[in-house]
């Protein structure tokens, strides 16, 4: 077996310990999705890692087969939660859901792991709660602190949990939005939750929902940061193994389809809602507990990987110009796996200042600001940030009115010229 510097191969399942893996999909050697490059430096040593997905036949965790060292991935991080109405609305919903269901009081402590620059915590603080962020990205923790959100620049662990508890007391809520799928040592995090929470405290995680990923062929959710692809069934196994229980779930369309899962200690006062059983039933009916659905996913992915380059190259051959809309991590999976480089994608437009002026990993497509993109005037945008399709297509009504078109890569590559058409295409594949 080859040893890959900076990564280790997974042996047993991080949820249940079993070693009976179904091989689902191999996307080849792929660079790190958020390792954008400085055009002035040489790129000869750009690291590539295997991107392969397995499914545990015992608990049906979908997992990458290699874990890249988190110190490489997260200490200096350039993903900043975008200024997006979609995200803002979702964050407000998360606060409302928690408050309505679990009735916290002013002064209760909310701790968030992977708190980024503190946008979600600011909303909890607005409801009178005390807040503490935990995020290993030192550059982002500094910004959060400057924004008035106390942030520990560390990975969440038993030690971090103990330190937070010592200085701030026990927490009513420990939240991890789109960070739990990134964590290898799940047992360490659950032990940390146990250490940190009050007896009736709640541990809430939001993850990309594997049911949506499979149903919409969203293979771009797969990159080295996402080690796990969870169902509610798999998370129940994890919770049970740590003396916890899932007490509520809420699906949303954010990030292409996510599920927010609330866990509490087995002996706590919280009872499970019917929604938990309903989702587990849906997962069962969808076939998540057998091999076949994963084989079909792999076939669907291969189909997208044939169709998308055909469409993009067809436009280029006819003299059109294609640019990427957004430079999300997921977009780098699409471009690298589909072999779409700067010969056919002229540039990518992204609102994140940290990404502008850089090159995309692997393909080296340059990233520019939306203002510059408008001046360059492509006739087609490949919508890499397709999870914001409705918001983006509404915002770009001028581009569309001028005859411009968006290529929606997921769930099937298709050209769209209105927000309604994009939403319809996306919803056609979603399981209710
Ligand atoms: O789990 C993760 C999720 C939550 O965030 C991380 N591993 C990394 C990251 O994934 P992503 O980069 O795929 O996330 P987004 O939020 O889909 O990225 C969207 C990108 O598009 C950002 O770079 C901002 C940009 N954007 C834009 O240029 N114009 C976004 C919007 C809404 C826009 O109008
Ligand atoms: Zn397992």
């Amino acid at each position: 077996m080859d040893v890959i510097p900076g990564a280790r191969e997974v042996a047993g399942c991080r949820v249940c310990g079993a070693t009976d893996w179904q091989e689902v999909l191999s996307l080849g050697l792929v660079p790190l999705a958020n390792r954008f490059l400085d055009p002035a430096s040489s790129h000869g040593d750009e690291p590539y890692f295997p991107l392969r997905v397995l499914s545990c036949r015992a608990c049906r965790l979908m997992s990458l087969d290699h874990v890249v060292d988190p110190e490489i991935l997260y200490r200096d991080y350039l993903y900043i939660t975008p200024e997006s109405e979609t995200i803002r609305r979702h964050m407000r919903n998360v606060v409302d859901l928690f408050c309505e269901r679990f009735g916290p009081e002013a002064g209760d402590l909310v701790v968030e792991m992977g708190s980024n620059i503190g946008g979600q915590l600011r909303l909890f603080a607005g409801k009178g709660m005390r807040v503490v962020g935990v995020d290993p990205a030192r550059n982002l923790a500094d910004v959060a602190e400057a924004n008035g959100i106390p942030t520990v620049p560390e990975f969440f662990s038993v030690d971090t949990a103990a330190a937070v508890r010592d200085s701030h007391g026990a927490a009513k809520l420990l939240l991890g939005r789109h960070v739990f799928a990134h964590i290898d040592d799940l047992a360490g995090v659950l032990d940390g939750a146990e250490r940190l929470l009050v007896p009736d405290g709640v541990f809430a995680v939001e993850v990309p929902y594997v049911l949506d990923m499979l149903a919409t062929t969203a293979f771009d959710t797969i990159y080295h940061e996402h080690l796990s692809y969870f169902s509610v069934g798999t998370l129940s196994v994890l919770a049970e193994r740590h003396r916890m229980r899932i007490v509520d779930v809420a699906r949303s369309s954010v990030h292409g389809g996510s599920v927010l899962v609330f866990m509490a200690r087995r002996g706590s006062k919280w009872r499970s809602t019917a929604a938990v059983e309903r989702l587990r039933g849906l997962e069962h009916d969808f076939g998540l507990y057998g091999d076949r659905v994963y084989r079909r996913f792999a076939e669907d992915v291969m189909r997208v990987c044939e169709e998308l380059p055909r469409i993009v190259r067809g436009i280029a051959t006819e003299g059109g110009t294609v640019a990427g809309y957004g430079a999300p991590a997921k977009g780098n999976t699409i471009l690298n796996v589909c072999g779409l480089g700067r010969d056919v994608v002229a540039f990518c437009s992204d609102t994140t200042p940290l990404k502008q002026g850089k090159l995309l990993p692997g393909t080296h497509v340059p990233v520019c600001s939306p203002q510059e993109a408008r001046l360059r005037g492509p006739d087609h945008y490949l919508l890499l940030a397709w999870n914001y399709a409705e918001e983006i297509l509404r915002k770009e009504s001028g581009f569309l009115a001028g005859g411009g078109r968006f290529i929606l890569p997921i769930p099937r590559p298709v050209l769209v010229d209105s927000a309604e058409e994009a939403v319809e295409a996306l919803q056609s594949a979603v399981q209710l």
Side-chain angles (χ1 to χ4, degrees):
M1 186 190 308
D2 293 342
V3 175
I4 298 172
R8 69 163 191 85
E9 197 164 353
V10 167
C13 169
R14 71 176 63 81
V15 167
C16 76
T19 52
D20 182 11
W21 294 109
Q22 176 190 356
E23 290 182 17
V24 177
L25 182 65
S26 176
L27 297 173
L29 285 172
V30 178
L32 301 177
N34 270 318
R35 195 175 183 278
F36 286 52
L37 304 165
D38 182 346
S41 40
S42 92
H43 314 128
D45 59 349
E46 192 177 2
Y48 279 65
F49 296 91
L51 193 53
R52 278 196 293 266
V53 193
L54 312 169
S55 168
C56 169
R57 285 200 172 93
C59 76
R60 284 301 171 182
L61 172 76
M62 265 180 101
S63 169
L64 292 191
D65 78 343
H66 278 80
V67 177
V68 176
D69 182 350
E71 292 285 338
I72 298 174
L73 293 173
Y74 301 117
R75 280 300 183 191
D76 185 28
Y77 200 51
L78 52 57
Y79 177 74
I80 294 184
T81 312
E83 278 300 319
S84 137
E85 184 43 39
T86 312
I87 292 284
R88 258 195 304 272
R89 197 182 326 121
H90 178 66
M91 285 179 170
R92 283 195 298 267
N93 280 345
V94 169
V95 175
D96 291 346
L97 265 174
F98 176 69
C99 291
E100 280 159 25
R101 173 76 166 89
F102 299 100
E105 290 169 8
D108 279 346
L109 179 67
V110 175
V111 178
E112 186 183 15
M113 61 173 93
S115 47
N116 203 266
I117 59 168
Q120 177 76 70
L121 284 177
R122 196 173 320 124
L123 297 176
F124 279 104
K127 295 270 181 191
M129 284 168 246
R130 293 179 300 122
V131 299
V132 175
V134 178
D135 198 302
R138 296 179 179 123
N139 60 323
L140 302 187
D142 285 348
V143 178
E145 286 275 351
N147 289 343
I149 304 296
T151 303
V152 181
E154 271 314 325
F155 292 95
F156 185 84
S157 65
V158 181
D159 290 347
T160 328
V164 172
R165 188 176 175 136
D166 284 350
S167 41
H168 300 272
K172 174 86 183 193
L173 170 67
L174 171 64
L175 175 65
R177 283 197 49 246
H178 289 276
V179 64
F180 202 59
H182 303 55
I183 295 168
D184 190 26
D185 180 14
L186 297 178
V189 167
L190 279 145
D191 289 347
E194 181 155 34
R195 181 73 65 93
L196 182 62
L197 290 170
V198 297
D200 282 328
V202 174
F203 180 30
V205 297
E206 184 175 59
V207 291
Y209 192 23
V210 72
L211 193 69
D212 289 321
M213 180 177 102
L214 297 180
T216 60
T217 322
F219 72 101
D220 55 347
T221 298
I222 301 170
Y223 47 92
H224 299 98
E225 292 179 11
H226 291 164
L227 300 175
S228 302
Y229 306 83
F230 288 110
S231 64
V232 173
T234 301
L235 284 170
S236 305
V237 173
L238 182 69
E240 289 295 332
R241 290 172 73 95
H242 291 269
R243 301 163 301 283
M244 294 189 100
R245 183 174 50 204
I246 297 181
V247 293
D248 213 346
V249 288
R251 288 177 78 178
S252 71
S253 60
V254 78
H255 290 299
S258 302
V259 64
L260 177 61
V261 174
F262 295 97
M263 292 175 254
R265 287 189 181 87
R266 218 183 273 153
S268 78
K269 67 179 179 189
W270 307 114
R271 296 284 153 265
S272 295
T273 59
V276 181
E277 257 331 288
R278 223 175 12 248
L279 273 200
R280 281 165 48 147
L282 191 62
E283 292 171 358
H284 191 271
D285 295 347
F286 188 71
L288 281 193
Y289 301 104
D291 281 7
R292 211 174 54 188
V293 78
Y294 302 94
R295 282 200 297 271
R296 201 175 59 211
F297 173 65
E299 287 162 14
D300 291 347
V301 172
M302 289 308 132
R303 208 166 304 125
V304 172
C305 292
E306 280 167 24
E307 279 172 26
L308 184 62
R310 204 165 44 231
I311 292 176
V312 173
R313 289 187 186 283
I315 292 167
T317 308
E318 284 170 19
T321 314
V322 180
Y325 200 105
K330 63 174 77 63
N332 289 317
T333 295
I334 293 194
L335 296 178
N336 281 300
V337 172
C338 294
L340 292 169
R342 48 195 309 175
D343 54 328
V344 280
V345 179
F347 60 89
C348 269
S349 150
D350 196 284
T351 48
T352 316
L354 282 177
K355 294 182 182 178
Q356 293 162 6
K358 300 254 169 63
L359 305 178
L360 297 186
T363 58
H364 302 178
V365 170
V367 184
C368 68
S369 67
Q371 294 74 9
E372 191 182 332
R374 222 159 282 136
L375 291 176
R376 293 176 73 168
D379 39 66
H380 287 78
Y381 273 120
L382 172 56
L383 187 53
L384 297 172
W386 57 269
N387 44 319
Y388 303 95
E390 185 172 11
E391 172 177 349
I392 288 175
L393 267 76
R394 288 204 197 292
K395 188 162 64 177
E396 297 298 342
S397 56
F399 168 76
L400 292 168
R405 294 287 172 270
F406 277 87
I407 308 161
L408 188 67
I410 302 293
R412 295 273 176 282
V414 61
L415 288 166
V416 291
D417 59 11
S418 72
E420 291 74 22
E421 223 184 319
V423 168
E424 198 183 311
L426 285 164
Q427 286 181 346
S428 65
V430 173
Q431 298 290 304
L432 295 174

